[in-house]
Amino acid sequence: MNVRQKPERTRLSAEDWEDAALNLIAEQGVGALAVEALARQLGVTKGSFYWHFRTREALLQAALERWEQYGEREIINQIEALPDPRERLPELFRRVAHEVQPHRVYAALLKALDHPLVVPVMARVSKRRTEFLHVAYTEAGMEPTEALNRARLTYAAYVGFLQLNFTLGLPRLTHEEFDAYVEHMIATLIP
């Protein structure tokens, strides 16, 4: 008798589902997040999803927290570890400039500020990033009030650039032009 063995299924972790959710959000927005679509994309059944999450909202919450923690762990904590405060801001600008996927997620979340799970995450992220910039500018030698205003200006420029770039596709810059823009931002915004 010829018995065909079923191909072994890949076991997905909660993190695999969260990453897939973030990729879908970056590509199509929060509203496109659907369990069936993700299961098809990942080549598994919905049962795999329910092993890790009770609802779509639970997945969305976990994915948003993962994205938020990435910004803390991979960017802010590493920049804070630099011993010279004057090196932190230029390094931050250069590193953040080349983080494409987190920016795509951020831009998609900006379009979903009417979603009750998105609002608190975006508020925390914006507050933490502005506070980080405030401290960085202060440690680089600016007076606290001026540092806070510069932090707000810097963050507003960042969010505005993301909106223009990911929503409207503007400005259309070559790699070299973008690197020159980042260096211009460093020269303009860092004392």
Side-chain angles (χ1 to χ4, degrees), residues 89-133:
L89 288 164
E91 180 63 19
L92 173 69
F93 281 38
R94 290 183 185 108
R95 286 205 47 202
V96 166
H98 297 286
E99 292 279 331
V100 177
Q101 185 65 3
H103 292 326
R104 292 177 65 218
V105 172
Y106 191 99
L109 295 177
L110 285 173
K111 295 177 193 174
L113 289 176
D114 58 342
H115 193 288
L117 293 177
V118 172
V119 172
V121 172
M122 292 299 280
R124 283 192 309 271
V125 166
S126 296
K127 183 175 188 261
R128 174 67 177 115
R129 290 176 178 181
T130 303
E131 287 170 351
F132 173 78
L133 288 166

Side-chain angles (χ1 to χ4, degrees), residues 37-185:
L38 279 179
R40 267 194 311 276
Q41 179 184 336
L42 293 168
V44 297
T45 65
K46 288 190 306 183
S48 171
F49 168 83
Y50 291 110
W51 182 260
H52 300 290
F53 304 99
R54 292 183 61 137
T55 64
R56 171 198 181 271
E57 286 71 27
L59 170 61
L60 177 58
Q61 183 68 47
L64 292 173
E65 288 172 3
R66 185 175 181 79
W67 172 77
E68 181 179 6
Q69 290 166 2
Y70 172 83
E72 291 284 320
R73 184 182 63 249
E74 298 297 323
I75 305 295
I76 291 178
N77 290 346
Q78 291 179 12
I79 298 298
E80 284 177 329
L82 293 174
D84 184 349
R86 293 177 309 253
E87 291 177 11
R88 290 182 192 139
L89 288 164
E91 180 63 19
L92 173 69
F93 281 38
R94 290 183 185 108
R95 286 205 47 202
V96 166
H98 297 286
E99 292 279 331
V100 177
Q101 185 65 3
H103 292 326
R104 292 177 65 218
V105 172
Y106 191 99
L109 295 177
L110 285 173
K111 295 177 193 174
L113 289 176
D114 58 342
H115 193 288
L117 293 177
V118 172
V119 172
V121 172
M122 292 299 280
R124 283 192 309 271
V125 166
S126 296
K127 183 175 188 261
R128 174 67 177 115
R129 290 176 178 181
T130 303
E131 287 170 351
F132 173 78
L133 288 166
H134 179 212
V135 169
Y137 279 119
T138 302
E139 289 177 349
M142 294 182 90
E143 293 298 318
T145 301
E146 185 181 356
L148 180 58
N149 288 332
R150 186 69 57 97
R152 290 173 177 151
L153 174 64
T154 300
Y155 198 66
Y158 164 76
V159 172
F161 188 84
L162 286 182
Q163 282 286 65
L164 285 172
N165 194 281
F166 288 106
T167 303
L168 301 174
L170 299 172
R172 289 184 170 81
L173 302 175
T174 66
H175 183 71
E176 292 78 18
E177 290 170 329
F178 180 72
D179 285 344
Y181 169 75
V182 171
E183 293 305 315
H184 174 76
M185 292 288 293

